[in-house]
Amino acid sequence: MEVEKVLHMKEGTGKASYANNSQYQGRAIENTRTILEESIQELYHAKLPECLMIADLGCSAGPNALKVLLDMIDFVGIACRSLNHKLPEFQVFLNDLPGNDFNTMFRLLPSFWENLKEKKGSDFEVACFVSGTSGSFYERLFPNNFLHFVYSSYSLHWLSQVPKGLVGDNGEHLNKGNIFISKTSPPEVCKACQDQFERDFTLFLRLRLQELVPGGRMVLIMLATGESREASIFWELLSMAIRDMVSEGLIEEEKLDAFNLPLYRASAGEVKELVEREGSLTLHNLHTWTSKWDNPKLLADTARAIVEPMLASEFGEAIIDDLFHRYQAMIRNFIATDKLESHTLIISMSKKA
């Protein structure tokens, strides 16, 4: 799988699109507003920039990125009023891989400006310039000492590639019958994914350190796991649905055995260790938010909006509706007898001056 070509959320604004099925991510944004407010206000007080340079890395396509931007402007406005300062200008770079649906994102900008006027009043003036930056955040994206603030929501759990260690020396697929780390995955699979995340996250930090000004801030939100490293029932249930279709001859078994989501859920401890090992960052906040799922349709629709492009690329468009109908039924059966939770990691840090 060429990750950069197939890793993007479901495009458009249709029923199954990410733009209409990212409520969970929106809830996380609401639950992290306090950390975002504290981080960007401390940055403003320390730097007092005339133009605040902001990058949203892995912005996807939908309203959440613009809601966050609205919050940032609001939070900086509060800091400005406390100092009796004029609001700075804002230069915002929305970044994602080339396959991202930037057109949908930019079509949402007029409503963003309207929301800003309604919230602040028609006489409120803000100079905010928004542009798209296509490319992988596992590569350099901006000049040295260029950015004041880096934000990333639900993107850094995606790996730069499917780990090479998922195929044995004899060419055998090690994670047969699964699309992600599961209870039946051998230790080699877990270690390969962990090592790939460590390389990717370390590279991400080093690249951003080059692009951030001294004292620049980052707020990162990503899928996480508890310290017990429990398997993800979300993806186990989806694997089960695919295996059912394999048993009925609707999907080739070889395709399932060869497919793995380029995804890793790190623990808070893992992330803390990598940040501290890098040495040039100050960790301000490391918080895990746990959410309970009790709506099978919401979960199935959310998962579909995230992984449909990758699954369709591997297994074909024709199986998608049937697959997620089965997935939703499996979720319903599971939560009838057990709880279904997910963990989100929120990290706030700054570049040492």
Side-chain angles (χ1 to χ4, degrees):
M1 181 197 304
E2 295 185 61
V3 171
E4 287 197 21
K5 292 184 177 180
V6 298
L7 178 53
H8 59 84
M9 307 299 103
K10 178 65 175 175
E11 58 275 276
T13 56
K15 183 179 178 181
S17 68
Y18 183 80
N20 283 324
N21 293 284
S22 52
Q23 296 93 326
Y24 172 78
Q25 294 86 338
R27 283 170 54 201
I29 290 169
E30 287 298 315
N31 279 278
T32 58
R33 289 181 83 247
T34 301
I35 295 173
L36 178 63
E37 179 178 15
E38 179 183 276
S39 184
I40 202 164
Q41 287 182 348
E42 288 179 356
L43 167 73
Y44 179 77
H45 280 284
K47 308 303 289 187
L48 300 176
E50 293 184 4
C51 181
L52 194 57
M53 311 293 280
I54 298 170
D56 184 339
L57 305 184
C59 64
S60 190
N64 288 334
L66 297 180
K67 287 179 182 177
V68 172
L69 176 55
L70 200 62
D71 283 343
M72 289 182 186
I73 293 172
D74 198 24
F75 297 150
V76 173
I78 293 170
C80 288
R81 289 194 294 274
S82 72
L83 299 171
N84 197 27
H85 283 189
K86 179 184 176 182
L87 195 69
E89 296 183 335
F90 296 83
Q91 175 66 64
V92 181
F93 302 93
L94 300 177
N95 157 261
D96 215 311
L97 292 171
N100 184 56
D101 185 6
F102 284 103
N103 286 336
T104 290
M105 178 60 73
F106 290 131
R107 289 190 192 103
L108 293 173
L109 280 173
S111 62
F112 165 76
W113 302 123
E114 288 300 316
N115 289 339
L116 190 60
K117 289 179 181 178
E118 288 178 12
K119 188 173 183 180
K120 298 296 185 180
S122 58
D123 58 343
F124 176 79
E125 293 185 7
V126 57
C128 182
F129 309 97
V130 181
S131 61
T133 302
S134 176
S136 169
F137 50 55
Y138 294 124
E139 298 173 354
R140 277 293 298 273
L141 293 167
F142 304 100
N144 287 330
N145 300 313
F146 183 73
L147 298 171
H148 294 103
F149 197 86
V150 169
Y151 178 84
S152 182
S153 178
Y154 287 102
S155 296
L156 278 162
H157 44 257
W158 293 111
L159 303 174
S160 64
Q161 62 181 39
V162 176
K164 292 183 171 60
L166 300 187
V167 179
D169 294 337
N170 61 356
E172 180 185 12
H173 299 294
L174 301 181
N175 202 29
K176 287 184 177 182
N178 299 304
I179 63 170
F180 184 61
I181 300 170
S182 76
K183 295 175 182 177
T184 61
S185 299
E188 296 92 331
V189 169
C190 304
K191 185 66 165 59
C193 294
Q194 184 180 35
D195 289 348
Q196 185 66 51
F197 173 80
E198 181 177 321
R199 289 191 295 270
D200 286 345
F201 190 67
T202 298
L203 177 61
F204 175 89
L205 295 179
R206 289 175 180 170
L207 295 172
R208 303 297 80 80
L209 279 167
Q210 295 177 62
E211 296 164 351
L212 280 167
V213 300
R217 303 290 289 246
M218 287 196 284
V219 171
L220 312 176
I221 302 170
M222 66 178 82
L223 286 179
T225 186
E227 295 298 335
S228 64
R229 296 229 52 91
E230 73 282 359
S232 174
I233 191 63
F234 293 91
W235 305 120
E236 282 208 28
L237 292 174
L238 187 55
S239 293
M240 289 170 58
I242 297 174
R243 288 199 296 270
D244 277 359
M245 297 184 75
V246 168
S247 68
E248 296 174 21
L250 300 173
I251 293 176
E252 294 177 30
E253 185 174 14
E254 173 61 24
K255 287 188 175 182
L256 170 58
D257 290 344
F259 180 82
N260 288 279
L261 289 174
L263 176 69
Y264 183 75
R265 300 176 307 135
S267 68
E270 287 176 288
V271 169
K272 184 173 186 289
E273 180 182 345
L274 292 174
V275 171
E276 291 177 346
R277 185 189 303 173
E278 205 294 322
S280 299
L281 291 157
T282 300
L283 188 61
H284 298 285
N285 201 304
L286 184 63
H287 172 70
T288 301
W289 172 60
T290 300
S291 176
K292 181 179 179 181
W293 290 83
D294 56 11
N295 185 327
K297 186 177 188 307
L298 176 61
L299 176 50
D301 289 348
T302 300
R304 177 172 179 169
I306 294 169
V307 299
E308 178 179 339
M310 281 183 283
L311 295 179
S313 174
E314 185 68 21
F315 305 121
E317 294 275 359
I319 60 95
I320 296 296
D321 287 342
D322 187 7
L323 172 60
F324 282 94
H325 177 76
R326 295 169 189 246
Y327 182 48
Q328 183 177 325
M330 288 181 174
I331 296 168
R332 183 180 297 108
N333 291 337
F334 181 87
I335 64 176
T337 59
D338 207 341
K339 66 179 180 180
L340 190 55
E341 293 181 338
S342 62
H343 305 290
T344 294
L345 199 59
I346 304 102
I347 311 118
S348 171
M349 64 188 100
S350 62
K351 177 181 175 179
K352 292 180 180 179

mmCIF file with all atom_site columns, all heavy atoms in Angstrom, residues 9-28:
data_model
loop_
_atom_site.group_PDB
_atom_site.id
_atom_site.type_symbol
_atom_site.label_atom_id
_atom_site.label_alt_id
_atom_site.label_comp_id
_atom_site.label_asym_id
_atom_site.label_entity_id
_atom_site.label_seq_id
_atom_site.pdbx_PDB_ins_code
_atom_site.Cartn_x
_atom_site.Cartn_y
_atom_site.Cartn_z
_atom_site.occupancy
_atom_site.B_iso_or_equiv
_atom_site.pdbx_formal_charge
_atom_site.auth_seq_id
_atom_site.auth_comp_id
_atom_site.auth_asym_id
_atom_site.auth_atom_id
_atom_site.pdbx_PDB_model_num
ATOM 1   N N   . MET A 1 9  ? -9.397  10.980 4.213  1.00 0.00 ? 9  MET A N   1
ATOM 2   C CA  . MET A 1 9  ? -10.751 10.710 4.665  1.00 0.00 ? 9  MET A CA  1
ATOM 3   C C   . MET A 1 9  ? -11.716 10.714 3.477  1.00 0.00 ? 9  MET A C   1
ATOM 4   O O   . MET A 1 9  ? -11.381 11.167 2.388  1.00 0.00 ? 9  MET A O   1
ATOM 5   C CB  . MET A 1 9  ? -11.201 11.752 5.702  1.00 0.00 ? 9  MET A CB  1
ATOM 6   C CG  . MET A 1 9  ? -10.245 11.917 6.885  1.00 0.00 ? 9  MET A CG  1
ATOM 7   S SD  . MET A 1 9  ? -9.965  10.451 7.898  1.00 0.00 ? 9  MET A SD  1
ATOM 8   C CE  . MET A 1 9  ? -8.339  9.909  7.346  1.00 0.00 ? 9  MET A CE  1
ATOM 9   N N   . LYS A 1 10 ? -12.919 10.203 3.693  1.00 0.00 ? 10 LYS A N   1
ATOM 10  C CA  . LYS A 1 10 ? -13.926 10.156 2.638  1.00 0.00 ? 10 LYS A CA  1
ATOM 11  C C   . LYS A 1 10 ? -14.265 11.572 2.191  1.00 0.00 ? 10 LYS A C   1
ATOM 12  O O   . LYS A 1 10 ? -14.686 12.419 2.969  1.00 0.00 ? 10 LYS A O   1
ATOM 13  C CB  . LYS A 1 10 ? -15.188 9.443  3.160  1.00 0.00 ? 10 LYS A CB  1
ATOM 14  C CG  . LYS A 1 10 ? -16.345 9.376  2.171  1.00 0.00 ? 10 LYS A CG  1
ATOM 15  C CD  . LYS A 1 10 ? -16.011 8.528  0.963  1.00 0.00 ? 10 LYS A CD  1
ATOM 16  C CE  . LYS A 1 10 ? -17.246 8.381  0.054  1.00 0.00 ? 10 LYS A CE  1
ATOM 17  N NZ  . LYS A 1 10 ? -16.918 7.650  -1.184 1.00 0.00 ? 10 LYS A NZ  1
ATOM 18  N N   . GLU A 1 11 ? -14.075 11.805 0.894  1.00 0.00 ? 11 GLU A N   1
ATOM 19  C CA  . GLU A 1 11 ? -14.204 13.145 0.376  1.00 0.00 ? 11 GLU A CA  1
ATOM 20  C C   . GLU A 1 11 ? -15.649 13.595 0.207  1.00 0.00 ? 11 GLU A C   1
ATOM 21  O O   . GLU A 1 11 ? -16.590 12.817 0.328  1.00 0.00 ? 11 GLU A O   1
ATOM 22  C CB  . GLU A 1 11 ? -13.466 13.263 -0.962 1.00 0.00 ? 11 GLU A CB  1
ATOM 23  C CG  . GLU A 1 11 ? -13.949 12.289 -2.033 1.00 0.00 ? 11 GLU A CG  1
ATOM 24  C CD  . GLU A 1 11 ? -13.275 10.938 -1.930 1.00 0.00 ? 11 GLU A CD  1
ATOM 25  O OE1 . GLU A 1 11 ? -12.180 10.753 -2.453 1.00 0.00 ? 11 GLU A OE1 1
ATOM 26  O OE2 . GLU A 1 11 ? -13.915 10.040 -1.327 1.00 0.00 ? 11 GLU A OE2 1
ATOM 27  N N   . GLY A 1 12 ? -15.806 14.899 -0.112 1.00 0.00 ? 12 GLY A N   1
ATOM 28  C CA  . GLY A 1 12 ? -17.126 15.461 -0.417 1.00 0.00 ? 12 GLY A CA  1
ATOM 29  C C   . GLY A 1 12 ? -17.933 15.831 0.810  1.00 0.00 ? 12 GLY A C   1
ATOM 30  O O   . GLY A 1 12 ? -17.432 15.908 1.937  1.00 0.00 ? 12 GLY A O   1
ATOM 31  N N   . THR A 1 13 ? -19.231 16.052 0.572  1.00 0.00 ? 13 THR A N   1
ATOM 32  C CA  . THR A 1 13 ? -20.148 16.412 1.657  1.00 0.00 ? 13 THR A CA  1
ATOM 33  C C   . THR A 1 13 ? -21.370 15.497 1.658  1.00 0.00 ? 13 THR A C   1
ATOM 34  O O   . THR A 1 13 ? -22.427 15.861 2.171  1.00 0.00 ? 13 THR A O   1
ATOM 35  C CB  . THR A 1 13 ? -20.597 17.889 1.503  1.00 0.00 ? 13 THR A CB  1
ATOM 36  O OG1 . THR A 1 13 ? -21.185 18.071 0.204  1.00 0.00 ? 13 THR A OG1 1
ATOM 37  C CG2 . THR A 1 13 ? -19.437 18.841 1.687  1.00 0.00 ? 13 THR A CG2 1
ATOM 38  N N   . GLY A 1 14 ? -21.219 14.311 1.078  1.00 0.00 ? 14 GLY A N   1
ATOM 39  C CA  . GLY A 1 14 ? -22.326 13.363 1.024  1.00 0.00 ? 14 GLY A CA  1
ATOM 40  C C   . GLY A 1 14 ? -22.582 12.678 2.357  1.00 0.00 ? 14 GLY A C   1
ATOM 41  O O   . GLY A 1 14 ? -21.919 12.940 3.364  1.00 0.00 ? 14 GLY A O   1
ATOM 42  N N   . LYS A 1 15 ? -23.513 11.763 2.350  1.00 0.00 ? 15 LYS A N   1
ATOM 43  C CA  . LYS A 1 15 ? -23.952 11.081 3.568  1.00 0.00 ? 15 LYS A CA  1
ATOM 44  C C   . LYS A 1 15 ? -22.813 10.360 4.268  1.00 0.00 ? 15 LYS A C   1
ATOM 45  O O   . LYS A 1 15 ? -22.747 10.335 5.507  1.00 0.00 ? 15 LYS A O   1
ATOM 46  C CB  . LYS A 1 15 ? -25.062 10.082 3.215  1.00 0.00 ? 15 LYS A CB  1
ATOM 47  C CG  . LYS A 1 15 ? -25.660 9.369  4.397  1.00 0.00 ? 15 LYS A CG  1
ATOM 48  C CD  . LYS A 1 15 ? -26.777 8.423  3.950  1.00 0.00 ? 15 LYS A CD  1
ATOM 49  C CE  . LYS A 1 15 ? -27.353 7.656  5.132  1.00 0.00 ? 15 LYS A CE  1
ATOM 50  N NZ  . LYS A 1 15 ? -28.425 6.706  4.698  1.00 0.00 ? 15 LYS A NZ  1
ATOM 51  N N   . ALA A 1 16 ? -21.904 9.748  3.524  1.00 0.00 ? 16 ALA A N   1
ATOM 52  C CA  . ALA A 1 16 ? -20.816 8.965  4.115  1.00 0.00 ? 16 ALA A CA  1
ATOM 53  C C   . ALA A 1 16 ? -19.521 9.752  4.260  1.00 0.00 ? 16 ALA A C   1
ATOM 54  O O   . ALA A 1 16 ? -18.506 9.201  4.685  1.00 0.00 ? 16 ALA A O   1
ATOM 55  C CB  . ALA A 1 16 ? -20.558 7.715  3.276  1.00 0.00 ? 16 ALA A CB  1
ATOM 56  N N   . SER A 1 17 ? -19.529 11.044 3.947  1.00 0.00 ? 17 SER A N   1
ATOM 57  C CA  . SER A 1 17 ? -18.300 11.839 3.933  1.00 0.00 ? 17 SER A CA  1
ATOM 58  C C   . SER A 1 17 ? -17.770 12.105 5.338  1.00 0.00 ? 17 SER A C   1
ATOM 59  O O   . SER A 1 17 ? -18.507 12.088 6.326  1.00 0.00 ? 17 SER A O   1
ATOM 60  C CB  . SER A 1 17 ? -18.550 13.182 3.231  1.00 0.00 ? 17 SER A CB  1
ATOM 61  O OG  . SER A 1 17 ? -19.418 13.989 4.019  1.00 0.00 ? 17 SER A OG  1
ATOM 62  N N   . TYR A 1 18 ? -16.482 12.389 5.387  1.00 0.00 ? 18 TYR A N   1
ATOM 63  C CA  . TYR A 1 18 ? -15.862 12.754 6.662  1.00 0.00 ? 18 TYR A CA  1
ATOM 64  C C   . TYR A 1 18 ? -16.425 14.084 7.159  1.00 0.00 ? 18 TYR A C   1
ATOM 65  O O   . TYR A 1 18 ? -16.597 14.271 8.364  1.00 0.00 ? 18 TYR A O   1
ATOM 66  C CB  . TYR A 1 18 ? -14.351 12.854 6.499  1.00 0.00 ? 18 TYR A CB  1
ATOM 67  C CG  . TYR A 1 18 ? -13.613 13.162 7.778  1.00 0.00 ? 18 TYR A CG  1
ATOM 68  C CD1 . TYR A 1 18 ? -13.338 12.151 8.699  1.00 0.00 ? 18 TYR A CD1 1
ATOM 69  C CD2 . TYR A 1 18 ? -13.182 14.450 8.080  1.00 0.00 ? 18 TYR A CD2 1
ATOM 70  C CE1 . TYR A 1 18 ? -12.666 12.417 9.880  1.00 0.00 ? 18 TYR A CE1 1
ATOM 71  C CE2 . TYR A 1 18 ? -12.505 14.728 9.253  1.00 0.00 ? 18 TYR A CE2 1
ATOM 72  C CZ  . TYR A 1 18 ? -12.254 13.718 10.147 1.00 0.00 ? 18 TYR A CZ  1
ATOM 73  O OH  . TYR A 1 18 ? -11.591 13.991 11.324 1.00 0.00 ? 18 TYR A OH  1
ATOM 74  N N   . ALA A 1 19 ? -16.713 14.984 6.247  1.00 0.00 ? 19 ALA A N   1
ATOM 75  C CA  . ALA A 1 19 ? -17.255 16.287 6.642  1.00 0.00 ? 19 ALA A CA  1
ATOM 76  C C   . ALA A 1 19 ? -18.548 16.131 7.442  1.00 0.00 ? 19 ALA A C   1
ATOM 77  O O   . ALA A 1 19 ? -18.840 16.947 8.328  1.00 0.00 ? 19 ALA A O   1
ATOM 78  C CB  . ALA A 1 19 ? -17.507 17.149 5.400  1.00 0.00 ? 19 ALA A CB  1
ATOM 79  N N   . ASN A 1 20 ? -19.325 15.088 7.153  1.00 0.00 ? 20 ASN A N   1
ATOM 80  C CA  . ASN A 1 20 ? -20.590 14.869 7.860  1.00 0.00 ? 20 ASN A CA  1
ATOM 81  C C   . ASN A 1 20 ? -20.499 13.779 8.925  1.00 0.00 ? 20 ASN A C   1
ATOM 82  O O   . ASN A 1 20 ? -21.516 13.452 9.551  1.00 0.00 ? 20 ASN A O   1
ATOM 83  C CB  . ASN A 1 20 ? -21.691 14.501 6.856  1.00 0.00 ? 20 ASN A CB  1
ATOM 84  C CG  . ASN A 1 20 ? -22.197 15.704 6.096  1.00 0.00 ? 20 ASN A CG  1
ATOM 85  O OD1 . ASN A 1 20 ? -22.289 16.801 6.644  1.00 0.00 ? 20 ASN A OD1 1
ATOM 86  N ND2 . ASN A 1 20 ? -22.491 15.522 4.824  1.00 0.00 ? 20 ASN A ND2 1
ATOM 87  N N   . ASN A 1 21 ? -19.318 13.223 9.132  1.00 0.00 ? 21 ASN A N   1
ATOM 88  C CA  . ASN A 1 21 ? -19.178 12.122 10.095 1.00 0.00 ? 21 ASN A CA  1
ATOM 89  C C   . ASN A 1 21 ? -17.915 12.268 10.935 1.00 0.00 ? 21 ASN A C   1
ATOM 90  O O   . ASN A 1 21 ? -17.166 11.314 11.127 1.00 0.00 ? 21 ASN A O   1
ATOM 91  C CB  . ASN A 1 21 ? -19.171 10.785 9.355  1.00 0.00 ? 21 ASN A CB  1
ATOM 92  C CG  . ASN A 1 21 ? -20.506 10.458 8.712  1.00 0.00 ? 21 ASN A CG  1
ATOM 93  O OD1 . ASN A 1 21 ? -21.453 10.062 9.378  1.00 0.00 ? 21 ASN A OD1 1
ATOM 94  N ND2 . ASN A 1 21 ? -20.581 10.666 7.399  1.00 0.00 ? 21 ASN A ND2 1
ATOM 95  N N   . SER A 1 22 ? -17.690 13.470 11.436 1.00 0.00 ? 22 SER A N   1
ATOM 96  C CA  . SER A 1 22 ? -16.517 13.719 12.288 1.00 0.00 ? 22 SER A CA  1
ATOM 97  C C   . SER A 1 22 ? -16.938 14.343 13.612 1.00 0.00 ? 22 SER A C   1
ATOM 98  O O   . SER A 1 22 ? -16.214 15.155 14.190 1.00 0.00 ? 22 SER A O   1
ATOM 99  C CB  . SER A 1 22 ? -15.506 14.615 11.562 1.00 0.00 ? 22 SER A CB  1
ATOM 100 O OG  . SER A 1 22 ? -16.126 15.785 11.063 1.00 0.00 ? 22 SER A OG  1
ATOM 101 N N   . GLN A 1 23 ? -18.136 13.939 14.097 1.00 0.00 ? 23 GLN A N   1
ATOM 102 C CA  . GLN A 1 23 ? -18.628 14.485 15.357 1.00 0.00 ? 23 GLN A CA  1
ATOM 103 C C   . GLN A 1 23 ? -17.752 14.071 16.537 1.00 0.00 ? 23 GLN A C   1
ATOM 104 O O   . GLN A 1 23 ? -17.558 14.843 17.478 1.00 0.00 ? 23 GLN A O   1
ATOM 105 C CB  . GLN A 1 23 ? -20.072 14.040 15.619 1.00 0.00 ? 23 GLN A CB  1
ATOM 106 C CG  . GLN A 1 23 ? -21.076 14.548 14.608 1.00 0.00 ? 23 GLN A CG  1
ATOM 107 C CD  . GLN A 1 23 ? -21.311 13.555 13.473 1.00 0.00 ? 23 GLN A CD  1
ATOM 108 O OE1 . GLN A 1 23 ? -20.402 12.839 13.064 1.00 0.00 ? 23 GLN A OE1 1
ATOM 109 N NE2 . GLN A 1 23 ? -22.540 13.505 12.974 1.00 0.00 ? 23 GLN A NE2 1
ATOM 110 N N   . TYR A 1 24 ? -17.250 12.836 16.499 1.00 0.00 ? 24 TYR A N   1
ATOM 111 C CA  . TYR A 1 24 ? -16.398 12.380 17.595 1.00 0.00 ? 24 TYR A CA  1
ATOM 112 C C   . TYR A 1 24 ? -15.152 13.260 17.711 1.00 0.00 ? 24 TYR A C   1
ATOM 113 O O   . TYR A 1 24 ? -14.769 13.691 18.806 1.00 0.00 ? 24 TYR A O   1
ATOM 114 C CB  . TYR A 1 24 ? -15.990 10.921 17.383 1.00 0.00 ? 24 TYR A CB  1
ATOM 115 C CG  . TYR A 1 24 ? -14.950 10.447 18.376 1.00 0.00 ? 24 TYR A CG  1
ATOM 116 C CD1 . TYR A 1 24 ? -15.316 10.101 19.672 1.00 0.00 ? 24 TYR A CD1 1
ATOM 117 C CD2 . TYR A 1 24 ? -13.594 10.375 18.025 1.00 0.00 ? 24 TYR A CD2 1
ATOM 118 C CE1 . TYR A 1 24 ? -14.357 9.682  20.597 1.00 0.00 ? 24 TYR A CE1 1
ATOM 119 C CE2 . TYR A 1 24 ? -12.644 9.954  18.934 1.00 0.00 ? 24 TYR A CE2 1
ATOM 120 C CZ  . TYR A 1 24 ? -13.029 9.611  20.220 1.00 0.00 ? 24 TYR A CZ  1
ATOM 121 O OH  . TYR A 1 24 ? -12.080 9.210  21.120 1.00 0.00 ? 24 TYR A OH  1
ATOM 122 N N   . GLN A 1 25 ? -14.526 13.540 16.578 1.00 0.00 ? 25 GLN A N   1
ATOM 123 C CA  . GLN A 1 25 ? -13.349 14.399 16.583 1.00 0.00 ? 25 GLN A CA  1
ATOM 124 C C   . GLN A 1 25 ? -13.709 15.796 17.087 1.00 0.00 ? 25 GLN A C   1
ATOM 125 O O   . GLN A 1 25 ? -12.925 16.434 17.793 1.00 0.00 ? 25 GLN A O   1
ATOM 126 C CB  . GLN A 1 25 ? -12.748 14.468 15.188 1.00 0.00 ? 25 GLN A CB  1
ATOM 127 C CG  . GLN A 1 25 ? -12.173 13.152 14.685 1.00 0.00 ? 25 GLN A CG  1
ATOM 128 C CD  . GLN A 1 25 ? -13.202 12.244 14.009 1.00 0.00 ? 25 GLN A CD  1
ATOM 129 O OE1 . GLN A 1 25 ? -14.408 12.369 14.231 1.00 0.00 ? 25 GLN A OE1 1
ATOM 130 N NE2 . GLN A 1 25 ? -12.724 11.331 13.182 1.00 0.00 ? 25 GLN A NE2 1
ATOM 131 N N   . GLY A 1 26 ? -14.921 16.256 16.730 1.00 0.00 ? 26 GLY A N   1
ATOM 132 C CA  . GLY A 1 26 ? -15.389 17.546 17.219 1.00 0.00 ? 26 GLY A CA  1
ATOM 133 C C   . GLY A 1 26 ? -15.563 17.572 18.727 1.00 0.00 ? 26 GLY A C   1
ATOM 134 O O   . GLY A 1 26 ? -15.269 18.572 19.392 1.00 0.00 ? 26 GLY A O   1
ATOM 135 N N   . ARG A 1 27 ? -16.031 16.456 19.296 1.00 0.00 ? 27 ARG A N   1
ATOM 136 C CA  . ARG A 1 27 ? -16.172 16.360 20.750 1.00 0.00 ? 27 ARG A CA  1
ATOM 137 C C   . ARG A 1 27 ? -14.815 16.460 21.428 1.00 0.00 ? 27 ARG A C   1
ATOM 138 O O   . ARG A 1 27 ? -14.665 17.094 22.480 1.00 0.00 ? 27 ARG A O   1
ATOM 139 C CB  . ARG A 1 27 ? -16.835 15.042 21.126 1.00 0.00 ? 27 ARG A CB  1
ATOM 140 C CG  . ARG A 1 27 ? -18.334 14.995 20.900 1.00 0.00 ? 27 ARG A CG  1
ATOM 141 C CD  . ARG A 1 27 ? -18.863 13.579 21.058 1.00 0.00 ? 27 ARG A CD  1
ATOM 142 N NE  . ARG A 1 27 ? -18.493 12.995 22.347 1.00 0.00 ? 27 ARG A NE  1
ATOM 143 C CZ  . ARG A 1 27 ? -18.460 11.691 22.578 1.00 0.00 ? 27 ARG A CZ  1
ATOM 144 N NH1 . ARG A 1 27 ? -18.760 10.829 21.612 1.00 0.00 ? 27 ARG A NH1 1
ATOM 145 N NH2 . ARG A 1 27 ? -18.141 11.233 23.767 1.00 0.00 ? 27 ARG A NH2 1
ATOM 146 N N   . ALA A 1 28 ? -13.818 15.832 20.854 1.00 0.00 ? 28 ALA A N   1
ATOM 147 C CA  . ALA A 1 28 ? -12.471 15.898 21.420 1.00 0.00 ? 28 ALA A CA  1
ATOM 148 C C   . ALA A 1 28 ? -11.947 17.325 21.396 1.00 0.00 ? 28 ALA A C   1
ATOM 149 O O   . ALA A 1 28 ? -11.291 17.777 22.341 1.00 0.00 ? 28 ALA A O   1
ATOM 150 C CB  . ALA A 1 28 ? -11.536 14.971 20.656 1.00 0.00 ? 28 ALA A CB  1
#
